[in-house]
Amino acid sequence: TNPQGLGEAIALCAPHLSEDEPTLIVLGDTLFEADLDKLTSMSSNVLCTRTVNNPERFGVAVADEHGTITQLVEKPQEFVSDQALVGIYWITDTESLIRNLNKLINEDIRTRGEYQLTDGLAFMMSEDHIKFTATGIKEWLDCGKPETLIETNAKVLEGNHSVSAHAKLEN
């Protein structure tokens, strides 16, 4: 009834997760084209990213030349990376994810007033020495703001040329 951020939302799912099995998190405010079979067959933690012109709107990943993530920053006010986290997370260390999200909540660690998933993932890296790999995706259509939702809707409509012969279209 009182949403406190994505970190809290995922933490509330903890009773439905198995700590010894991987977890796939896909956010509902994004449309994408990606090979989830390939992603979920990986044995390491993977965060999907995409190059953006406005990284201050997103959580971003800083990665080294091998694609290993060295830092995660939620909505950076100063430029650190243009690799936005697109809302697809393959977590093989589910137990660490749950523990670190609970740490955020129990210790009331907030960024911009919310419990951020990005902060929980950053704690996994710093506290548990968990490694993450960044991987790009083919297509990402953001639906997080009204103007991007309109752009996304227009793009989806451009590609949607199939209408049933039985459809009745008016206006």
Side-chain angles (χ1 to χ4, degrees):
T1 60
N2 184 20
Q4 298 294 309
L6 186 54
E8 181 200 43
I10 302 300
L12 289 171
C13 297
H16 306 285
L17 303 176
S18 175
E19 291 186 353
D20 59 351
E21 289 183 357
T23 299
L24 176 64
I25 301 169
V26 179
L27 303 186
D29 66 349
T30 189
L31 299 176
F32 61 90
E33 182 179 340
D35 186 347
L36 294 181
D37 282 336
K38 180 181 174 189
L39 180 69
T40 59
S41 67
M42 298 178 82
S43 61
S44 62
N45 298 290
V46 180
L47 307 180
C48 293
T49 62
R50 181 81 178 195
T51 302
V52 295
N53 294 327
N54 50 352
E56 67 280 356
R57 282 197 48 231
F58 307 99
V60 298
V62 179
D64 64 18
E65 64 277 1
H66 305 291
T68 301
I69 295 173
T70 59
Q71 184 182 11
L72 295 169
V73 182
E74 182 63 31
K75 297 182 178 134
Q77 296 306 298
E78 295 185 22
F79 182 85
V80 294
S81 171
D82 61 359
Q83 295 302 301
L85 299 170
V86 300
I88 305 170
Y89 310 84
W90 175 242
I91 308 296
T92 58
D93 293 291
T94 301
E95 185 271 332
S96 175
L97 172 69
I98 294 167
R99 183 176 58 257
N100 284 291
L101 290 176
N102 286 330
K103 176 181 176 157
L104 292 177
I105 295 166
N106 294 337
E107 296 179 19
D108 197 33
I109 301 169
R110 298 169 184 257
T111 298
R112 290 180 184 74
E114 296 184 339
Y115 301 114
Q116 299 290 344
L117 175 58
T118 306
D119 292 337
L121 298 172
F123 275 137
M124 290 174 68
M125 293 169 57
S126 64
E127 305 289 319
D128 296 342
H129 308 289
I130 301 293
K131 298 209 181 297
F132 291 90
T133 302
T135 188
I137 62 171
K138 294 178 186 175
E139 183 77 42
W140 177 44
L141 302 172
D142 181 32
C143 300
K145 292 178 68 174
E147 59 271 20
T148 59
L149 178 60
I150 291 168
E151 291 170 16
T152 293
N153 187 57
K155 181 136 184 171
V156 169
L157 290 174
E158 284 174 10
N160 189 8
H161 302 290
S162 174
V163 177
S164 169
H166 304 293
K168 183 177 179 183
L169 303 176
E170 294 180 12
N171 298 324

